[in-house]
Amino acid sequence: MDPRVVLWLWMLLSSTCSGIKLEGNGHTDILVAISSAVPQDNRIIDKIKVLKADNKDALGDEIIFLTDGEATDNINDCAPTAIQSGAIIHTLALGPSAAKELQEMADKTDGKFIIATDDITSNLLVDAFASLTIPTGDYTKEPVQLESTGERTADWFNGTVSVDSTVGNKTSFLIIYELIAPTAYIQTPSGSNYSKADMSGDPSAKTLTLKIPGTAESGDWKYSILSGRLQSMTITVTSQAARSDVPPIIVKTHVNQQLISGSKPVIVFAEVSQNYRPVINAEVKATLEPEKGTMKQLELLDNGAGADAFKNDGIYSRYFTKLEKGRISLKVRVKNKDGQSRFTLHRKSGALYVPGYVVDDKVELNPPKPPVPEQPLVEGNFSRTATGESFQVTITNAPIYPPNKITDLNAEIQKNMVLLIWTAPGEDLDQGPAKSYEIRWSDDIEMLRLNFSNSSLVNTSAVSPKEAGSVERHSFNMTIENGTTLFFALRSEDNDDAISEISNIAQASKILPAPNPPGISNPGLNLTVIIISVCVAVIVVCLIVAVTAWAVKRRKRVDA
């Protein structure tokens, strides 16, 4: 018998904490045990025994383990047995006092580790449960989070969320408030309004919920929430696929490592796709919130430079360098930037394009690199939010990183001018501007690769590095013989004198048409002269024939 996929919630909370409703988040068979008043609520082993009852083991079953660290229970007493049970354990750390063993428990059982701060406006606890929905393999039946944001105000809290044509079923607006129920209005794209009277309220949970009947109208929905007094409020919008045959646009996010020791850079990833088709040209912003400290925002890019491996593959990424010791949560927001988002028909392969090759000391050029076909994003405006697994930084001081390696250097030769184009690196990896560039060239690729510092140097004194991610262009003149192939590479330096790795090697060839044969100064003009001459000759011949025929006829009449 296959393992029964069951999602359990087990909460080790202080007695002052209240319960949390999970209705509508796609969870099934949920057991909630709250506070020390519940018998043996600190015995995760007993819960695993219940999971084992269906098929004699807990292998493949899933547990959500939430604690704020304020209870007297000792996680170490149950962690070893829980890890060995075979269950997948997702751990949620609510507040800075939660035990450090939570991350180990999640790591060793292939679960997720997520932190939620005490700041209500971050909405991290709601986001955490939304991200832990059991996957069914059918995205048309799974909830999609369209918006999750918050604000602390005594005035209006306004915003817009886009409902695209791929979603709309089971759409709900959840408002959570800190003190008193606010006045709330939700406006549809066509101008109809929902008010507080249309919402269901739960004073004990401090929530207002609006469930849209049927399929929600596509377009921009506007919300206006009047607080009435200074308090924190959040709004969460979820929906499901509008049609069973059209999967929605989805977002997945993660970092490349969960325990940050500073030995290698941290990279934040977000994958945007629909039915495995990459979505490109979207606006993707990551929010990284430490338990203590300042929230950081990072724009993720899909430009094939810096942390991003391939351009326009729907995977957006960026280095994260502003590390602070402690645990850090991750959330991304995705929007259709100025209506520019597109589908690509397939992901690019990892094979590099080779512009040409040399045969018998002659350069043979390959056909131009074919473009990746794109399709318009017919869904129009869309918005998505996704929560990734949290990670922990163990170092006190962030490392000093050099500029990132330039990977997209391109070279062209136009007569006796060389044009180089690349994406600007940063001061620290792909953050900020670098200080300077060092560009070198050679007619021997091995020389440039193995002995970069001894290759010919290009004067870059007039080049001022731009902000990371910008397009850099530099041209210079040099005498180049026809048929010559040259190779170029560069590296950058930051204000701490840290030097980047050497870039990819770009090659360019000067191939001009062969000179005209002697005596032919203008082949096109000579061809025209020949054509005209032939035409004149034909006309003359025709004229002679006509005159001769006329003369013969006239003589015959005279003789007669």
Side-chain angles (χ1 to χ4, degrees):
M1 178 179 178
D2 293 333
R4 179 170 60 100
V5 180
V6 182
L7 190 59
W8 294 73
L9 171 64
W10 184 44
M11 306 174 70
L12 283 178
L13 300 173
S14 59
S15 58
T16 58
C17 291
S18 58
I20 297 177
K21 289 191 173 183
L22 301 180
E23 181 182 358
N25 280 334
H27 301 93
T28 58
D29 297 334
I30 300 175
L31 174 64
V32 181
I34 305 174
S35 84
S36 57
V38 179
Q40 292 187 331
D41 73 338
N42 63 332
R43 301 298 178 186
I44 197 170
I45 299 173
D46 291 345
K47 309 306 176 188
I48 292 174
K49 289 180 180 178
V50 176
L51 289 174
K52 286 184 176 182
D54 66 336
N55 59 349
K56 307 306 180 184
D57 64 43
L59 188 65
D61 292 325
E62 297 189 30
I63 299 173
I64 297 179
F65 182 39
L66 169 66
T67 177
D68 66 355
E70 300 297 334
T72 58
D73 309 281
N74 188 353
I75 294 178
N76 287 324
D77 292 342
C78 61
T81 303
I83 292 172
Q84 295 172 10
S85 69
I88 299 172
I89 303 176
H90 307 293
T91 57
L92 273 65
L94 181 60
S97 300
K100 308 301 180 184
E101 289 79 12
L102 290 175
Q103 184 163 1
E104 178 187 5
M105 194 181 296
D107 290 343
K108 291 186 176 180
T109 62
D110 290 330
K112 293 182 179 180
F113 168 69
I114 300 175
I115 66 168
T117 64
D118 296 331
D119 182 11
I120 295 177
T121 60
S122 68
N123 212 25
L124 285 174
L125 189 57
V126 174
D127 295 339
F129 285 119
S131 69
L132 293 176
T133 301
I134 297 176
T136 64
D138 184 356
Y139 290 122
T140 64
K141 297 179 180 179
E142 296 179 6
V144 178
Q145 193 174 59
L146 308 184
E147 180 62 287
S148 172
T149 187
E151 187 173 319
R152 181 171 178 80
T153 182
D155 204 349
W156 286 97
F157 171 31
N158 302 318
T160 301
V161 57
S162 298
V163 177
D164 57 276
S165 61
T166 67
V167 294
N169 284 341
K170 298 183 179 180
T171 303
S172 66
F173 292 74
L174 172 65
I175 299 170
I176 301 177
Y177 54 90
E178 182 183 10
L179 300 173
I180 62 171
T183 301
Y185 302 94
I186 309 293
Q187 185 181 75
T188 70
S190 60
S192 300
N193 287 286
Y194 292 96
S195 66
K196 184 178 178 180
D198 301 305
M199 304 177 187
S200 59
D202 187 337
S204 61
K206 294 185 171 58
T207 62
L208 294 173
T209 304
L210 173 65
K211 295 184 177 181
I212 307 300
T215 302
E217 182 181 349
S218 296
D220 291 339
W221 290 64
K222 298 179 180 180
Y223 56 86
S224 300
I225 307 170
L226 179 60
S227 176
R229 63 179 296 182
L230 183 62
Q231 64 176 338
S232 296
M233 299 180 295
T234 66
I235 184 168
T236 305
V237 184
T238 58
S239 188
Q240 289 190 20
R243 295 167 47 185
S244 60
D245 60 338
V246 180
I249 296 171
I250 61 172
V251 179
K252 298 178 181 179
T253 183
H254 69 282
V255 293
N256 64 330
Q257 48 190 314
Q258 303 308 128
L259 193 63
I260 313 301
S261 63
S263 59
K264 61 180 180 179
V266 180
I267 305 177
V268 181
F269 296 95
E271 181 180 0
V272 188
S273 64
Q274 186 206 29
N275 198 25
Y276 304 103
R277 292 188 301 172
V279 177
I280 64 173
N281 298 339
E283 180 184 273
V284 182
K285 293 185 177 180
T287 300
L288 298 109
E289 184 174 357
E291 290 177 309
K292 298 178 181 178
T294 307
M295 181 186 301
K296 310 291 191 308
Q297 284 207 336
L298 199 63
E299 183 175 5
L300 308 186
L301 304 176
D302 187 17
N303 60 355
D308 193 60
F310 300 105
K311 183 178 181 179
N312 290 343
D313 64 351
I315 300 176
Y316 300 74
S317 57
R318 201 76 181 268
Y319 288 110
F320 178 55
T321 60
K322 300 184 182 301
L323 302 176
E324 297 181 24
K325 187 175 182 179
R327 295 181 287 200
I328 301 177
S329 65
L330 168 64
K331 179 196 288 188
V332 297
R333 289 182 172 86
V334 181
K335 293 184 178 180
N336 185 357
K337 184 178 181 180
D338 301 325
Q340 296 299 310
S341 295
R342 298 286 185 272
F343 291 123
T344 56
L345 298 184
H346 59 272
R347 297 199 186 281
K348 294 183 179 180
S349 71
L352 296 177
Y353 170 70
V354 179
Y357 52 94
V358 177
V359 178
D360 296 330
D361 296 328
K362 292 183 179 180
V363 177
E364 300 290 341
L365 297 179
N366 286 325
K369 185 177 182 180
V372 176
E374 299 177 5
Q375 291 181 338
L377 184 58
V378 296
E379 282 72 19
N381 289 341
F382 70 88
S383 59
R384 297 288 188 273
T385 63
T387 300
E389 192 171 352
S390 302
F391 57 96
Q392 184 166 351
V393 179
T394 60
I395 54 175
T396 303
N397 298 317
I400 297 176
Y401 294 108
N404 65 266
K405 177 182 177 179
I406 296 167
T407 58
D408 61 349
L409 176 64
N410 183 63
E412 295 180 15
I413 294 179
Q414 303 169 356
K415 295 185 178 180
N416 285 327
M417 185 190 75
V418 177
L419 174 63
L420 301 179
I421 302 176
W422 68 93
T423 301
E427 164 77 10
D428 295 319
L429 297 173
D430 59 3
Q431 308 292 307
K435 183 181 73 173
S436 61
Y437 294 118
E438 179 184 1
I439 303 176
R440 294 184 180 270
W441 66 273
S442 175
D443 57 4
D444 183 352
I445 189 172
E446 292 300 320
M447 172 72 174
L448 193 62
R449 178 183 292 117
L450 302 177
N451 203 352
F452 176 82
S453 298
N454 289 332
S455 299
S456 301
L457 182 65
V458 175
N459 184 0
T460 58
S461 58
V463 180
S464 179
K466 298 179 181 179
E467 187 72 19
S470 304
V471 177
E472 295 273 26
R473 288 181 172 86
H474 180 56
S475 60
F476 53 94
N477 295 321
M478 60 185 299
T479 302
I480 307 172
E481 294 183 3
N482 191 26
T484 300
T485 298
L486 300 178
F487 303 92
F488 302 87
L490 78 158
R491 60 187 180 185
S492 55
E493 184 177 347
D494 65 13
N495 290 309
D496 295 314
D497 298 327
I499 300 175
S500 72
E501 296 181 56
I502 299 171
S503 72
N504 65 298
I505 296 178
Q507 74 174 44
S509 302
K510 181 179 181 180
I511 301 178
L512 299 177
N516 298 326
I520 302 179
S521 59
N522 192 328
L525 180 59
N526 290 336
L527 180 60
T528 303
V529 172
I530 292 172
I531 293 174
I532 294 175
S533 299
V534 171
C535 292
V536 171
V538 171
I539 293 172
V540 170
V541 170
C542 292
L543 184 60
I544 292 173
V545 171
V547 171
T548 302
W550 174 80
V552 170
K553 288 182 180 180
R554 188 171 181 274
R555 178 177 292 179
K556 287 181 178 180
R557 284 198 298 267
V558 172
D559 292 341

